[in-house]
Amino acid sequence: MRLEYFELVDKIEELNLAEGRILVRGNVPAASPVFEGHFPGHPLVPGVLFVEFMAQASGWLLLGRLNFERMAFLASVKEAKMRNFVQPDTPLLAEAKIEHEGSGYGITNCKVMKQDGTPVADATITLRIMPFPSSEFSDAMRARARKVGFTIPA
Amino acid sequence: MASTFDTVANIIAETCDIPREQITPESHAIDDLGIDSLDFLDIAFAIDKAFGIKLPLEQWTAEVNEGKATTEQYFVLKNLAERIDGLVAAKGA
């Protein structure tokens, strides 16, 4: 994870497009400017970053289902719960499962957990599906996808 | 059995916290009830689930944006209910 760049997904561990499920990994770094403020002398990963982690996992899942032809943007977060604190230097996993794929939007049920399965956070996420606003953005997302281990169809 | 309109009106009332009595077949979801596109996603999800269909929101939006249709055709609730009935019938055909 590069927290200050909002690059939270390091690697796609499991992806089943037919079943609509993804499992991603993100390793919380040992040091980050984020921890200087959250909190001084008591570093903890901010809860909003767990929400973002779940949204990014959901986004990769939907992008895969869309064959990278359109982009998924976070639209709403429901029933978000932060269940445990996470300190620096902690590997995390995020799982997202498709609850519903509508016309122009997708809804996923997500959870974040530690490697031993300890629950960290969960939420229901809605993403709005829209055309990529530019080809540069689309190309950048494809490049990022390859970095996290996505196999993109030609 | 509740009519399609009643089901949709109940969904809107619950999702958007609008008094049920304010929602009539003539109500325009956007102009009269003030429902924005984000709230309409929640409504679409509930409608999709309730009727086992997929409201073609993207197609409708494109038609409105291209001037091929008016928002009244899709977002006045009696018209929306009629579209839902059509989608349900097409699914069963």
Side-chain angles (χ1 to χ4, degrees), chain A residues 38 44-54 80-82 84 121:
Chain A
H38 196 280
L44 294 174
V45 179
V48 290
L49 291 180
F50 300 140
V51 172
E52 179 65 20
F53 191 30
M54 292 187 277
K81 292 188 172 72
M82 310 304 145
N84 276 297

Side-chain angles (χ1 to χ4, degrees), chain B residues 12-42:
Chain B
I12 290 172
E14 192 173 323
T15 305
C16 299
D17 203 18
I18 295 171
R20 173 64 182 82
E21 61 273 15
Q22 282 185 19
I23 305 168
T24 72
E26 307 301 327
S27 300
H28 189 301
I30 302 162
D31 297 343
D32 297 328
L33 302 177
I35 297 168
D36 67 16
S37 64
L38 182 57
D39 283 335
F40 206 84
L41 290 187
D42 287 336

Side-chain angles (χ1 to χ4, degrees), chain A residues 120-142:
Chain A
V120 170
D122 44 79
T124 299
I125 303 256
T126 301
L127 295 117
R128 197 189 290 266
I129 296 163
M130 302 172 76
F132 277 101
S134 69
S135 58
E136 291 81 4
F137 183 18
S138 172
D139 292 344
M141 288 306 296
R142 286 168 179 267

Side-chain angles (χ1 to χ4, degrees), chain A residues 10-73:
Chain A
D10 293 328
K11 187 169 184 287
I12 293 172
E13 297 281 354
E14 296 172 22
L15 176 65
N16 189 324
L17 292 177
E19 289 180 8
R21 177 185 172 271
I22 192 169
L23 182 73
V24 303
R25 172 178 297 277
N27 296 319
V28 178
S32 162
V34 169
F35 297 131
E36 292 171 21
H38 196 280
F39 294 100
H42 188 71
L44 294 174
V45 179
V48 290
L49 291 180
F50 300 140
V51 172
E52 179 65 20
F53 191 30
M54 292 187 277
Q56 290 188 10
S58 303
W60 287 125
L61 175 58
L62 286 173
L63 274 170
R65 301 261 293 192
L66 295 162
N67 200 24
F68 282 77
E69 288 170 359
R70 287 184 294 164
M71 181 61 188
F73 296 93

